[in-house]
Amino acid sequence: MSRLLVAFDTRLSPRPSGVGIYTRDLLAALAARPELQVVAVASPQQPLPEGVERLATEIAFDAHGPAEYFEHVALPRQLAARKVELLHGPNTIVPAGRTPFARVVTIHDVAFARYGQTLTPAFRMLMRTRTRASLALADAAVAVSSFTADELRALYPRLATRVIALPSGTPEGALRHVRDPNRATARARELGLEPGRFLCAIGTLEPRKNLPTLLQAFAQAAIPGVKLALIGDRGWREGPLREALSRMPSDSVVLTGWLDTEQVYDLIASSAGLAYPSLYEGFGFPPLEALALGVNVACADLPPIRESCDGQVRLIGPLDLPGWVEALRWLVSSGPRPPWVGRRFSDVASELVEVYRVAVEGWSSRRKASR
């Protein structure tokens, strides 16, 4: 059987978060599939897995006007010239109009509908429009968890048959991370943290991450000699977070800012535990990263966390303040745990091959019928 020629839009932010991890690790897993020949839409500088062809562009994913022309006009023409059979957009975007190839899109969450108050009005409207349009255009829409798939089907019942649940896997970087105690200790101490004497929380500093609740619980837990590290880039609507920080004891909380992947893994591995109090997630990588690194996790009790972590984490209601106080104390006292790995990105890629084939066959049949 001939290999399917698939394009994968890998353009990433210079500071990739969860979507960037998904894109990077899924591309590597797809490149290893013998059934596929992969063309990556990427910047000239972006590293690519061996065997992946590059369709180079300097147009960034978030370049607005230039990006829209590239995604909906220039890119389809270039892919048609290469006789690509399918394009996968891993970040909620596929080209509009009729295309000479099938389209698959990944949708990560519907926060714009469920927790729209945590987003800026402009971004909420953008994601609402983009999600509905891509779902209508795509031959198949991959949801990163069964929960997100159910959310999409409930919001768009007429398009429900296009939605396929393919839960994500543990980030490969966490699985390959080589512990170096000296390096990890040095990195922690550069930030004013002592190995084993701090808790960490990971994510962009934005309202959906529910960090004010975590800060209040940490203050009430009053664990002697233990700090809290908030690891993540600046976000939006930070007023409640800044107010909560102003009430914290001096030097008890460290804001690290954005860190690269290896720095993050060093901090997780040298911490006393990970707290993940989000109000809403479509999936959620940090708990899986911590589990792979042998670190205990206290998580908000959310459907995608229950699905992906399979009973390996302590679950607390997102707004259950006494529960979080108890959970933080438990993290500090529990010590290390054996590493645990659930689903892998190789599993996702294996299942995605069949999604691609069905999408191409369906697109081809519809194209013939319309002639």
Side-chain angles (χ1 to χ4, degrees):
M1 184 180 294
S2 62
R3 293 198 296 170
L4 196 65
L5 183 56
V6 172
F8 196 77
D9 189 352
T10 69
R11 292 171 300 145
L12 302 175
S13 162
R15 295 182 171 184
S17 55
V19 175
I21 291 172
Y22 175 90
T23 301
R24 178 197 65 206
D25 286 1
L26 183 54
L27 173 64
L30 291 171
R33 298 299 309 182
E35 308 94 330
L36 303 178
Q37 180 181 346
V38 182
V39 176
V41 183
S43 72
Q45 300 79 26
Q46 185 175 325
L48 295 178
E50 184 177 352
V52 173
E53 181 184 349
R54 185 189 307 271
L55 193 161
T57 178
E58 295 284 5
I59 303 295
F61 179 80
D62 54 358
H64 302 294
E68 290 179 0
Y69 177 81
F70 175 76
E71 289 152 2
H72 300 297
V73 180
L75 179 59
R77 291 174 181 170
Q78 294 179 45
L79 296 180
R82 296 192 183 206
K83 301 189 184 304
V84 162
E85 297 169 85
L86 179 143
L87 169 66
H88 186 165
N91 193 7
T92 325
I93 289 181
V94 289
R98 297 184 65 180
T99 57
F101 46 78
R103 291 166 286 194
V104 171
V105 67
T106 295
I107 298 175
H108 296 266
D109 62 56
V110 293
F112 62 86
R114 301 307 189 205
Y115 276 84
Q117 71 275 16
T118 67
L119 306 174
T120 64
F123 188 64
R124 181 170 65 244
M125 181 60 68
L126 173 67
M127 292 309 300
R128 183 183 299 277
T129 303
R130 183 177 285 175
T131 300
R132 174 64 176 81
S134 293
L135 187 55
L137 291 165
D139 297 277
V142 172
V144 296
S145 65
S146 297
F147 169 73
T148 296
D150 290 342
E151 292 272 83
L152 285 166
R153 293 174 186 133
L155 279 173
Y156 307 107
R158 294 184 180 180
L159 300 171
T161 57
R162 302 187 186 192
V163 178
I164 300 167
L166 284 185
S168 295
T170 298
E172 293 297 316
L175 302 177
R176 296 192 302 266
H177 183 71
V178 177
R179 287 176 179 253
D180 182 333
N182 293 331
R183 181 190 64 210
T185 296
R187 283 180 168 170
R189 287 177 175 167
E190 285 174 2
L191 295 166
L193 301 168
E194 194 64 30
R197 301 303 296 167
F198 69 94
L199 298 169
C200 59
I202 300 173
T204 303
L205 305 184
E206 51 105 340
R208 189 160 48 95
K209 301 305 179 183
N210 194 28
L211 295 175
T213 297
L214 179 62
L215 289 170
Q216 188 176 357
F218 183 72
Q220 291 188 18
I223 309 168
V226 173
K227 294 184 178 183
L228 175 63
L230 303 184
I231 304 170
D233 211 352
R234 292 195 61 178
W236 50 90
R237 295 193 167 180
E238 295 181 0
L241 173 59
R242 296 294 169 185
E243 183 179 346
L245 285 168
S246 71
R247 296 194 295 267
M248 297 299 294
S250 178
D251 298 326
S252 63
V253 180
V254 174
L255 276 67
T256 71
W258 183 85
L259 300 174
D260 67 35
T261 301
E262 290 304 311
Q263 290 175 307
V264 171
Y265 291 158
D266 273 342
L267 286 181
I268 295 174
S270 60
S271 74
L274 173 77
Y276 197 66
S278 292
L279 296 170
Y280 178 92
E281 294 289 343
F283 185 71
F285 286 122
L288 291 174
E289 292 170 315
L291 290 171
L293 293 167
V295 173
N296 277 304
V297 184
C299 279
D301 189 0
L302 303 176
I305 301 300
R306 294 197 297 270
E307 178 183 352
S308 64
C309 294
D310 195 25
Q312 297 294 316
V313 300
R314 182 162 179 162
L315 297 171
I316 308 98
L319 300 177
D320 178 3
L321 186 59
W324 278 106
V325 171
E326 182 181 347
L328 296 181
R329 290 171 176 161
W330 168 76
L331 285 175
V332 172
S333 64
S334 59
R337 54 157 293 148
W340 180 85
V341 179
R343 187 170 164 86
R344 301 280 298 271
F345 269 96
S346 57
D347 302 319
V348 184
S350 176
E351 296 169 17
L352 198 50
V353 169
E354 182 60 20
V355 173
Y356 287 170
R357 290 206 179 279
V358 171
V360 169
E361 289 169 4
W363 171 84
S364 180
S365 297
R366 288 190 297 275
R367 188 183 189 191
K368 290 176 182 177
S370 66
R371 287 176 177 172

